[in-house]
Amino acid sequence: MTYIKPSIFDTTTFTLKIKGLSKIPLRTGTNNSDGVVPNPNGLSDVVYKVKWFLSGTEGTDIETKSGSTCLDTTGLTSENMVEFSKLTNDIVSAWLIDSDPFIAHKYTICNNILEKRAVEDTAVPW
């Protein structure tokens, strides 16, 4: 799907706050369409889902959105995995902030700001 970039996208500041991390695979024992593989390569303490809060500020307008995202764990190995105890908001945010789903969330926030600013002309011609 192709998205249309909102006119204020480049001047909007986005802040992503991680609210929670789940170490429980969505479907134990099978792969699912999101690429979540239970215990990839025998690893433990794997993060499978991230709960988040995203805000966008443009000028004096602020819009927010919250949700969760399942992580693709198909290529996870002991070499590229960050230990759970060493994870930070910045590390986990970097996994999400520029991904395709987050571009859509950012566009939604921008469009909500633009909609809030829009002045509807309700004049009648008589």
Side-chain angles (χ1 to χ4, degrees):
M1 174 177 233
T2 303
Y3 299 104
I4 298 171
K5 183 178 177 180
S7 60
I8 62 169
F9 183 79
D10 292 329
T11 57
T12 302
T13 302
F14 297 97
T15 304
L16 179 60
K17 176 73 176 161
I18 304 305
K19 303 303 280 181
L21 302 173
S22 175
K23 295 191 284 182
I24 299 173
L26 296 178
R27 297 180 191 157
T28 303
T30 61
N31 293 348
N32 68 31
S33 62
D34 291 322
V36 177
V37 179
N39 301 96
N41 295 311
L43 299 171
S44 60
D45 271 347
V46 174
V47 174
Y48 294 98
K49 184 162 84 172
V50 179
K51 294 183 180 185
W52 49 263
F53 180 83
L54 178 66
S55 66
T57 305
E58 207 283 331
T60 60
D61 294 309
I62 299 172
E63 283 291 318
T64 62
K65 187 172 174 70
S66 62
S68 63
T69 299
C70 296
L71 300 174
D72 183 347
T73 59
T74 53
L76 197 59
T77 66
S78 58
E79 287 80 35
N80 63 11
M81 181 177 156
V82 178
E83 290 180 41
F84 186 82
S85 63
K86 294 183 179 174
L87 292 174
T88 64
N89 188 78
D90 289 342
I91 290 170
V92 178
S93 293
W95 296 345
L96 304 176
I97 198 68
D98 292 321
S99 66
D100 285 343
F102 264 79
I103 296 299
H105 295 315
K106 290 176 180 182
Y107 281 12
T108 298
I109 284 175
C110 290
N111 286 326
N112 289 345
I113 290 171
L114 289 169
E115 186 175 311
K116 189 166 56 171
R117 291 178 182 172
V119 177
E120 185 176 2
D121 183 3
T122 58
V124 293
W126 59 92

